[in-house]
Amino acid sequence: MPPAAPDPAQPEPAPPALAGKPARVALLDLSTLETDHLSLLYFDPAQTYLTPYVARSFENAFRFHTRMFNWKPWDRTTVLLKDFSDYGNAGARASPNNAILFDVAPLSQNLETFSPGERFFTLSNHELTHVAMMDVWNEHDAGWRRFLHGKPQPVQEHPESILYNYLATPRVNTPRWWLEGSAVFMETWMAGGLGRGQGAYDEMVFRAKVRDNAKLYSPLGLESEGTAVDFQVGVNAYLYGTRFFSYLALTYSPDKVIEWFKRGEGSAGYYSTAFKKIFGKRLDDVWSDWTVWERTFQQANLDKLAKYPLTPVQHLGSHGLGSVSRTFYDAKTNSLIGAFRYPGVIGFVGALSLDTGKIRRLGEIKGMMLYRVTSLAFDEVTRKIYYTEDNYALRDIVELDVDTGKRRMLQRNARIGDFVVDKTDHALWGLRHQNGFVTLVRIPAPHTGFNQIHTFDYGTTPFDLDISNDGKLLSASVGEINGEQSVRVWKTEDLLAGNGPVDVAKLSLPPSTPEGFVFSADGTQLWGSAYYTGVSNVFRFDIASQKYDAMSNAATGFFRPIPMPDGSLIVTEYTGEGLWPSLIVPKATDDLGTVTFLGAEVARTRPEVKGWGVGSPARVKLDELITKRGKYFPDKEMKLAVAYPIIEGYQGNVAFGYYLNFEDPMQFHTLKATVSVSPFQHLSALERLHVDVEYRSYDWRVRYWHNDADFYDLFGPVERSRKGDAIIVGYKKAKIYDPPRQLDVFGTAAAYFGLRQLPSAQNVPTSFRNLLSTEIGARYTDTYKSLGAVDHEKGIGWHVIAGGDYAKSDFYPHIEGGFDGGIALPIKNASAWIYTSAGVAGGKSASPLGSYYFGSFRNNYVDNREVKRYREVESFPGFDIDEIDARKFGKAIVELNLPPLRFAEVGTPSLYLSSARTALFAGILATERADGRSPSYQSVGGQVDFNFTVALRLPMTLSFGAAAGFRNGHYRQTELLASLKIL
């Protein structure tokens, strides 16, 4: 498992929250609150107000999990609060230590994909389920943890750690559906039944799959294909896992489910083996039973809904569009303005023609969300679209001209969304998220600044703003800390006068969340949707009388209605292909079908789950539990995390040794040490010893090695091991960190002693033994890919590196730079790229330090570096390693990436093939050598990468390639490639 498995509140797969070691966090001033079970890290004073409630929520959930799972934590859990995202998110891990990360921002309630309860209560219950179920142990696991001095996480440098990770924490090695489904299942019943285990969205997803005859994945197909090509990607792990656990509780019993979660003495470590021992059947067979049952269950729901006349639906466009933002009708072009995100296409703002069904793309979106894509508003008078980018970070505001496509950045990191346009003055109203609070803001034209109107109390979360055509009324869906959800109407006059939001009207449809409500043209009504009967239907709300009517009877669900001049409604219908813009004719009705929830059936037939509620965290007497308050100093918190035996390679020899890792709980500071010995080879006693020590702190690293050895040297031909000693100091800092846009500046200074080969060129012997080397540079990347892609599909990158070497009283300067660029092709998930570079080296031409060296794919048979190394500067397939030398060079590689082939049922959950991608490339290298000659070199080849997964979630890539090398247009040789990339 990665160091942190993200649990997005707006459930979008995201980079592991703790895996990246958020070093920028560590540069700031963190405070800590500690109990015997918890170390809570937070930013004082901005987040101090949250700490009592977060700590109580943790302790409340902790008591439940220790009792329910017979869990005795191996170590204290560290919790980090941060505010680097505008929407709530969380992540958890149990190796190398127990840790949880919380974003303090509000959770998205879009489509009711998340529980409407208090967010830290829900997230604590969910995330601590992860920690408990991954950390649970018996004496067998404890023996390995003692031997390994901790709970190793898989690391590339030492692949043995993959095995050690399983031995110490076998329940970390489970499918994502198992982890996420179990956490959602527990979160629901810990909250007394309020949660996604009884969620209307989850029911709708499977009801739509049955109605539209969509595929229900097997456990293997879910992991290999379902979380990659479906528009919901990783969220499918939550959906399928939750349904399966609920089915098990219904069919077998909740007690058996809990027994599967535990790690009692004599229990099987591997999750599916444990399943068979407990349930008496193979997991795949019971999963198949569930899918058959699910189709029958949902067909019965569809039949119940059809007892009343279903609202006829006219789909707009040729296919479902996956995730769809709020949309607007443009009368001028008779089109639907919105943002769309579906597999094979980078998400974009576009116009869906109601005449032809075709979509005109207006501009791509950076940092899209699942389901809502972006916050979007349209001013039909000025013909401007306003939308947000970096939706999972700090949101930017962008303006786009719908007619010309001209784009303008209005505000960076404004943290504002849920836009609406006041037609009377073209001002934007929006909602700003910061430090866990929501603030209503007004953005007057030309929209380069904003005014704060009102900050709501913590726990009050407005969303889905709308404004009447006359600008006098503002509406919003509002969630309260107690779980109450409603639509409220306020006067803008009161808000601008500083009187705060005084309700003019209020609509509640418990237990559902009314959302997407918009004003009618005359401002007397609101139209929106809610799962009031368990199915999302359209409702009309009369503001004066505060009465409402149901206006549709949907089989799956209708959302985001737009009243049309002719009385019809544009809605988005949920289908097996995601959200599909559609047209319906609304009709008031008192007769709506209802559905049976799987979660309700569990509660009815297995009433014991009703007793799992953990109650209010307010009952936790926190003051009695606090053992320490203070500051968090990472260097003082460092301790031995793991220590285990390893194997390495050195100059064709085998070395055996030990690896030790010291770090603080957040991995801001790390000290890694490897000591090994080559016992069987004809080496001097001094050369048999290998030492590698590295200390990392924030942006700095200091490393010392003696006769450097490396695991991957066991599987040449590329060798990284070197004789001698080295002291290396490195610095790297992100000057721009706006993923995927990033600019890193870096530098190194190194001293080498006793060398036999150049540090950067294994086949070039040195005429000296000692070397001083320095280098500084910058590297910029801004690349994108669509859903279903396995590689970047468009973007740019550049780098520039300058440095110098000093040996035998001579100095050898060099400078090198490059530019990369790519475009997405009309074929889904296909792209074309060019990678260019050029450089010049100085100093004495007779010295090996005065040249660059090229040649070969440069992949080892087993490797941990980039899969497509032919893109890198020193690589040039079709020639031997370091065969080509040049004082000056210019190089270009053009590449065609073909669409990947997807596999659904190849392998087993512990080892499966997910995709194969093919790339064709051709390159040219122009050189000027030290002897004055200027040969040119050409390379033509291809590479196929088979992406597969081991240990249920660890990525591997098996590559095969071939390239023909030419010198001055004459065939030189053909090089073959076979390489296995680890992690």
Side-chain angles (χ1 to χ4, degrees):
M1 160 179 194
D7 281 322
Q10 167 64 39
E12 165 86 346
L18 303 179
K21 254 192 345 181
R24 309 314 308 164
V25 176
L27 289 174
L28 303 178
D29 189 17
L30 283 171
S31 296
T32 181
L33 179 157
E34 295 183 9
T35 71
D36 289 340
H37 315 121
L38 167 70
S39 177
L40 176 61
L41 309 182
Y42 61 97
F43 293 93
D44 180 49
Q47 295 164 3
T48 306
Y49 78 100
L50 285 171
T51 57
Y53 186 74
V54 173
R56 288 188 176 96
S57 295
F58 175 92
E59 292 287 344
N60 199 41
F62 180 87
R63 293 174 182 176
F64 174 87
H65 288 101
T66 54
R67 181 180 70 254
M68 180 66 74
F69 303 132
N70 296 330
W71 173 45
K72 297 179 181 179
W74 192 258
D75 54 275
R76 185 164 58 180
T77 301
T78 300
V79 175
L80 172 66
L81 300 182
K82 70 181 184 69
D83 187 34
F84 299 154
S85 173
D86 282 350
Y87 285 98
N89 199 336
R93 73 176 180 212
S95 63
N97 64 322
N98 296 336
I100 296 173
L101 182 146
F102 288 136
D103 284 298
V104 303
L107 304 172
S108 173
Q109 301 295 330
N110 194 248
L111 307 186
E112 279 198 34
T113 52
F114 199 82
S115 309
E118 199 289 316
R119 56 184 180 268
F120 287 111
F121 173 79
T122 302
L123 291 175
S124 294
N125 293 343
H126 183 105
E127 299 304 327
L128 208 56
T129 299
H130 283 327
V131 175
M133 290 178 56
M134 292 187 289
D135 185 50
V136 288
W137 52 274
N138 59 17
E139 280 304 316
H140 179 270
D141 306 331
W144 282 108
R145 293 182 186 187
R146 296 185 189 103
F147 174 72
L148 301 168
H149 298 277
K151 300 177 290 183
Q153 66 185 93
V155 295
Q156 285 185 313
E157 295 86 349
H158 302 291
E160 309 95 321
S161 59
I162 296 174
L163 173 61
Y164 298 151
N165 175 257
Y166 176 78
L167 294 173
T169 51
R171 294 300 172 84
V172 167
N173 295 268
T174 52
R176 195 177 180 198
W177 67 257
W178 193 87
L179 285 173
E180 303 302 352
S182 59
V184 173
F185 178 79
M186 297 305 302
E187 138 207 328
T188 300
W189 300 113
M190 290 173 70
L194 179 64
R196 288 170 284 181
Q198 290 205 92
Y201 178 81
D202 292 45
E203 289 292 341
M204 180 180 65
V205 168
F206 288 93
R207 191 166 65 250
K209 285 180 178 294
V210 171
R211 186 198 68 170
D212 298 340
N213 199 29
K215 184 175 184 178
L216 287 178
Y217 290 103
S218 68
L220 176 56
L222 175 63
E223 295 295 318
S224 62
E225 185 182 39
T227 55
V229 302
D230 186 88
F231 89 98
Q232 300 196 94
V233 285
V235 177
N236 275 324
Y238 296 73
L239 295 167
Y240 278 79
T242 303
R243 299 296 288 187
F244 185 60
F245 281 110
S246 296
Y247 170 79
L248 292 177
L250 177 69
T251 307
Y252 293 90
S253 78
D255 288 342
K256 282 189 175 293
V257 173
I258 296 300
E259 186 181 354
W260 192 19
F261 295 165
K262 294 179 179 179
R263 184 73 170 108
E265 298 301 327
S267 66
Y270 192 58
Y271 78 105
S272 62
T273 305
F275 180 92
K276 188 172 183 180
K277 290 181 65 175
I278 294 166
F279 293 91
K281 299 176 69 175
R282 293 176 62 250
L283 191 152
D284 283 1
D285 293 338
V286 177
W287 186 287
S288 180
D289 293 342
W290 160 61
T291 58
V292 172
W293 178 92
E294 185 72 58
R295 290 191 181 277
T296 302
F297 180 75
Q298 296 299 352
Q299 188 58 57
N301 275 330
L302 290 167
D303 292 342
K304 287 174 63 178
L305 293 172
K307 289 181 179 179
Y308 301 96
L310 294 174
T311 301
V313 180
Q314 177 188 344
H315 287 155
L316 304 174
S318 59
H319 57 87
L321 297 176
S323 296
V324 178
S325 73
R326 177 179 177 179
T327 56
F328 296 83
Y329 176 66
D330 180 19
K332 179 180 177 180
T333 60
N334 193 33
S335 60
L336 202 60
I337 303 295
F340 312 100
R341 186 189 187 198
Y342 49 90
V345 176
I346 295 173
F348 62 93
V349 175
L352 171 62
S353 171
L354 302 188
D355 295 321
T356 66
K358 294 183 178 179
I359 300 178
R360 178 167 61 99
R361 299 183 192 178
L362 300 172
E364 293 175 351
I365 302 172
K366 173 176 173 285
M368 299 152 286
M369 295 182 72
L370 187 61
Y371 303 127
R372 67 182 300 164
V373 188
T374 181
S375 292
L376 186 143
F378 175 50
D379 190 330
E380 58 186 330
V381 175
T382 64
R383 311 294 295 161
K384 297 294 194 296
I385 299 170
Y386 303 94
Y387 65 95
T388 53
E389 293 192 324
D390 289 340
N391 288 281
Y392 283 119
L394 307 183
R395 289 171 292 183
D396 304 329
I397 305 175
V398 179
E399 177 190 89
L400 181 69
D401 191 292
V402 72
D403 297 321
T404 67
K406 184 178 179 181
R407 181 183 184 276
R408 183 165 69 105
M409 177 66 69
L410 296 176
Q411 298 183 46
R412 289 192 182 275
N413 299 333
R415 311 196 66 172
I416 301 170
D418 289 277
F419 302 130
V420 289
V421 176
D422 187 340
K423 294 182 179 180
T424 64
D425 59 6
H426 305 288
L428 295 175
W429 290 73
L431 296 168
R432 188 169 193 260
H433 294 174
Q434 187 173 31
N435 291 328
F437 293 97
V438 182
T439 299
L440 177 67
V441 301
R442 183 175 178 273
I443 311 172
H447 312 118
T448 55
F450 63 88
N451 301 316
Q452 296 191 159
I453 303 301
H454 177 79
T455 297
F456 294 85
D457 293 339
Y458 171 79
T460 297
T461 305
F463 57 99
D464 280 0
L465 288 183
D466 198 49
I467 194 167
S468 60
N469 284 339
D470 60 9
K472 294 182 178 180
L473 296 177
L474 191 74
S475 70
S477 295
V478 181
E480 297 289 357
I481 196 168
N482 62 1
E484 178 187 338
Q485 310 287 310
S486 61
V487 172
R488 301 181 186 180
V489 181
W490 307 308
K491 291 182 180 180
T492 55
E493 180 183 15
D494 290 342
L495 293 166
L496 291 172
N499 298 328
V502 178
D503 291 348
V504 174
K506 178 179 177 180
L507 170 65
S508 296
L509 295 169
S512 64
T513 301
E515 60 179 316
F517 275 77
V518 298
F519 283 95
S520 59
D522 61 7
T524 63
Q525 299 172 336
L526 285 170
W527 292 75
S529 66
Y531 296 94
Y532 187 41
T533 61
V535 178
S536 183
N537 276 297
V538 175
F539 289 83
R540 181 183 61 193
F541 176 57
D542 184 79
I543 295 173
S545 67
Q546 301 202 42
K547 294 181 179 179
Y548 66 88
D549 294 292
M551 303 300 294
S552 71
N553 185 27
T556 56
F558 296 142
F559 302 91
R560 302 174 187 145
I562 303 174
M564 299 293 286
D566 63 0
S568 63
L569 285 180
I570 292 178
V571 297
T572 52
E573 185 193 27
Y574 189 89
T575 73
E577 297 182 53
L579 297 170
W580 196 326
S582 306
L583 193 67
I584 67 171
V585 177
K587 181 181 179 181
T589 178
D590 294 326
D591 297 322
L592 288 178
T594 59
V595 295
T596 302
F597 280 34
L598 171 55
E601 287 296 287
V602 172
R604 184 180 64 82
T605 60
R606 304 290 184 174
E608 57 265 40
V609 298
K610 298 178 183 179
W612 291 3
V614 296
S616 171
R619 66 181 182 177
V620 175
K621 298 178 180 179
L622 182 62
D623 291 343
E624 300 175 3
L625 301 178
I626 295 174
T627 59
K628 178 183 177 183
R629 290 182 183 269
K631 295 294 184 181
Y632 182 75
F633 299 104
D635 54 334
K636 296 181 180 180
E637 297 292 333
M638 293 179 65
K639 62 181 181 180
L640 180 65
V642 292
Y644 49 77
I646 59 164
I647 184 172
E648 297 184 297
Y650 175 77
Q651 306 282 307
N653 304 312
V654 178
F656 301 94
Y658 224 74
Y659 168 78
L660 301 94
N661 182 25
F662 299 84
E663 61 187 22
D664 72 283
M666 282 287 99
Q667 300 178 315
F668 295 150
H669 285 212
T670 61
L671 174 64
K672 300 178 181 180
T674 303
V675 179
S676 63
V677 176
S678 302
F680 307 122
Q681 290 73 31
H682 299 291
L683 298 171
S684 65
L686 187 60
E687 195 173 354
R688 288 185 178 184
L689 177 66
H690 315 289
V691 178
D692 188 354
V693 180
E694 182 177 59
Y695 185 87
R696 288 183 178 266
S697 170
Y698 307 147
D699 303 316
W700 292 92
R701 68 182 180 95
V702 179
R703 182 186 179 197
Y704 166 75
W705 55 253
H706 170 72
N707 298 328
D708 189 26
D710 191 280
F711 172 85
Y712 296 96
D713 277 20
L714 295 169
F715 310 93
V718 179
E719 293 184 351
R720 284 177 277 193
S721 58
R722 295 291 188 271
K723 181 183 184 300
D725 296 82
I727 300 173
I728 304 168
V729 178
Y731 174 84
K732 182 179 180 180
K733 184 174 183 178
K735 300 297 289 184
I736 297 175
Y737 187 74
D738 186 22
R741 191 172 67 99
Q742 185 166 339
L743 173 62
D744 293 328
V745 295
F746 53 87
T748 60
Y752 301 92
F753 308 96
L755 290 174
R756 278 198 299 227
Q757 309 141 277
L758 288 184
S760 59
Q762 69 186 59
N763 294 328
V764 180
T766 63
S767 56
F768 49 83
R769 291 292 175 263
N770 302 328
L771 171 68
L772 298 178
S773 181
T774 62
E775 192 171 78
I776 59 172
R779 189 178 305 275
Y780 177 84
T781 59
D782 186 14
T783 61
Y784 300 80
K785 64 180 181 180
S786 65
L787 294 178
V790 294
D791 204 350
H792 55 216
E793 294 180 321
K794 67 170 294 183
I796 63 170
W798 58 261
H799 71 275
V800 60
I801 301 172
D805 299 306
Y806 182 81
K808 287 188 173 181
S809 301
D810 292 314
F811 182 65
Y812 299 86
H814 60 266
I815 185 169
E816 178 253 312
F819 176 84
D820 310 327
I823 59 171
L825 299 178
I827 305 171
K828 184 165 66 174
N829 297 137
S831 62
W833 286 79
I834 184 169
Y835 301 89
T836 65
S837 57
V840 58
K844 291 182 177 180
S845 60
S847 171
L849 291 173
S851 295
Y852 291 92
Y853 300 91
F854 307 88
S856 176
F857 278 99
R858 290 185 179 257
N859 298 77
N860 275 349
Y861 304 123
V862 178
D863 212 333
N864 66 334
R865 290 166 293 194
E866 287 298 319
V867 171
K868 294 182 176 178
R869 294 204 68 203
Y870 61 77
R871 297 170 173 171
E872 299 176 357
V873 174
E874 67 272 18
S875 174
F876 204 72
F879 296 86
D880 295 336
I881 297 173
D882 301 332
E883 177 182 350
I884 303 170
D885 62 281
R887 295 273 283 177
K888 300 178 182 178
F889 76 92
K891 176 186 171 186
I893 296 283
V894 292
E895 176 191 62
L896 173 64
N897 288 305
L898 301 180
L901 298 176
R902 289 286 179 181
F903 306 98
E905 302 290 344
V906 180
T908 67
S910 58
L911 176 62
Y912 62 85
L913 178 66
S914 58
S915 67
R917 59 181 178 183
T918 300
L920 306 175
F921 62 86
I924 184 169
L925 173 63
T927 67
E928 180 181 300
R929 296 180 45 167
D931 58 11
R933 291 183 294 172
S934 301
S936 65
Y937 304 86
Q938 299 80 37
S939 176
V940 178
Q943 183 170 318
V944 180
D945 303 318
F946 293 91
N947 298 289
F948 64 100
T949 299
V950 301
L952 300 138
R953 281 196 313 283
L954 301 180
M956 305 283 178
T957 304
L958 179 61
S959 300
F960 298 97
F966 300 82
R967 174 171 171 159
N968 295 327
H970 299 288
Y971 174 74
R972 170 70 171 74
Q973 66 180 20
T974 296
E975 180 187 6
L976 300 179
L977 164 72
S979 178
L980 173 63
K981 164 77 160 32
I982 303 293
L983 301 181

